[in-house]
Amino acid sequence: MERGCARDIQLNDIARGLEQAIRLILAADPELLGIIFLSLRVTGLALLISTLAGVPIGAGLGLARLRGHGLITAILYTGMGLPPVVVGLFVYLMLSRSGPLGVLGWLFTPSAMVAAQTIISFPLVTGLTMTAVRSVDPALRVQVRSLGATRVQEAWAVLAEARIGVVAAIVAAFGGIISEVGAVMLVGGNIAGRTRVLTTAIVLETRQGEFAFAIALGVILLALAFTANLALLRLQGKL
Amino acid sequence: MVYQSERLRHAYAGRTVLDIARLDVNAGEVLALVGPSGAGKSTLLRLLNFLETPTSGTILYQGRLITGHVPLEIRRQVTTVFQRPALRRATVRENVAYGLRLRGIPLDGAVDEMLGRLGLLPFARQPAHTLSGGEMQRVAVARALLVRPRVLLLDEPTANLDPYNVGMIEEIIRADNAERGTTVILVTHNVFQARRLAQRTGLLLSGKLVELADTATFFNSPADPRTAAFVRGEMVY
Ligand SMILES: Nc1ncnc2c1ncn2[C@@H]1O[C@H](COP(=O)(O)OP(=O)(O)O)[C@@H](O)[C@H]1O
Ligand SMILES: [Mg+2]
């Protein structure tokens, strides 16, 4: 069978794949661990950057009554729906040797993947934070001011009230980029041991018919998303 | 005199909703304001709480002209309890203590004492949004009184509450006014409440202060026929 060529899947392939997947996970297979670790590192860093920038900006947009608010909102919502693969193409062009940021030498490194995931997650964190802040009862804001809050205290009170929505924004962004494949594939190149993450590895292993490994990776990806959502529900007091 | 106001006018989108020639509020008095819905009562309270700047006219607070930016130490002397209590997503105790937190005042026995006075001690650790309407309003009143305001503005604080909660809130307002000399401006639809609590009562109609008099005079021998009609419970425009 040729490399990269898919073969027909049979039921017992899946069963055997599952069994081997569990064995791989339990054995803490070093290759598997490396891929998980890189995924978390890239996504974690991208999420950290979008959170540090997106939460204050989203909060500011939610609190302020700016002119051109509608336009900003439209831009943000468009950004939230950006096709990741288009972001990947954009980052690829920027970072390619002849591109404007080519001197950085980031293409096919984790830095490029962080850049792409940051661009994907920033509008999500910002837009959802803005929505959460705007949905806080305006009467509460007036009440807080009437109780003698400074401007900063007032903003803080509104943000605190929106905290569940803000955390939901961060979790949604996490779910969006950890499971994203197009952009990291383009700008990272899926190089074994260097830029191979959970999603790109699943694509590769599936193509090669290595279902056990692919399933193991899939299970872990699901587990990560599940844990993130559990944490969110917990925070919302629904668990 | 806590407030002296002249030619106070406020407009929204060019429509004048408040136009009061003169309003003086004495230190330590309980002043009731009555009037139909839309008369401008809430607007007046927002202006007196410095939450909005009047379109024109002057407000003197403690003899000091209030313009544009109001210093924090002055803002912190005045607070409002609104008809619909706006509570934070926190425990009852945290909500009641919030005004002190804003001022960086360490919490002490005063918080629990205030909770006790409004029958809120059993709820202290409960999330505020799980309370009943009357309990929530008691939290809002406790929170306002705990910052020891010089001026307490009450915007229909007991509308839609049952007699038990009304009684409890009226009692603490009366006590606070008597003990600390807090100036109270009470907006109410309930003329009996005005009679029970206020030394002076005023009638607002379509943004105008029709009459402001001693409560007894206001109810028994009002000067303006519109006041007489309002007191009798007739529709007034
Ligand atoms: N923020 C606002 N924007 C526009 N109009 C307002 C606003 N607040 C109040 N008004 C109008 O001002 C008038 C007086 O309102 P308000 O002070 O709430 O009356 P009251 O408290 O006596 O019922 C009403 O006609 C109301 O529609
Ligand atoms: Mg009103």
Side-chain angles (χ1 to χ4, degrees), chain B residues 41-42 155-156:
Chain B
K41 306 181 296 295
S42 297
D155 196 349
E156 303 184 37

Side-chain angles (χ1 to χ4, degrees), chain B residues 150-190:
Chain B
R150 226 185 249 262
V151 179
L152 178 65
L153 305 173
L154 302 163
D155 196 349
E156 303 184 37
T158 62
N160 310 323
L161 296 191
D162 59 286
Y164 171 78
N165 280 296
V166 173
M168 205 159 199
I169 288 171
E170 283 188 7
E171 185 42 45
I172 194 136
I173 291 165
R174 201 198 318 270
D176 191 74
N177 169 258
E179 291 162 18
R180 295 187 39 251
T182 314
T183 305
V184 178
I185 304 179
L186 167 71
V187 165
T188 181
H189 272 303
N190 184 337

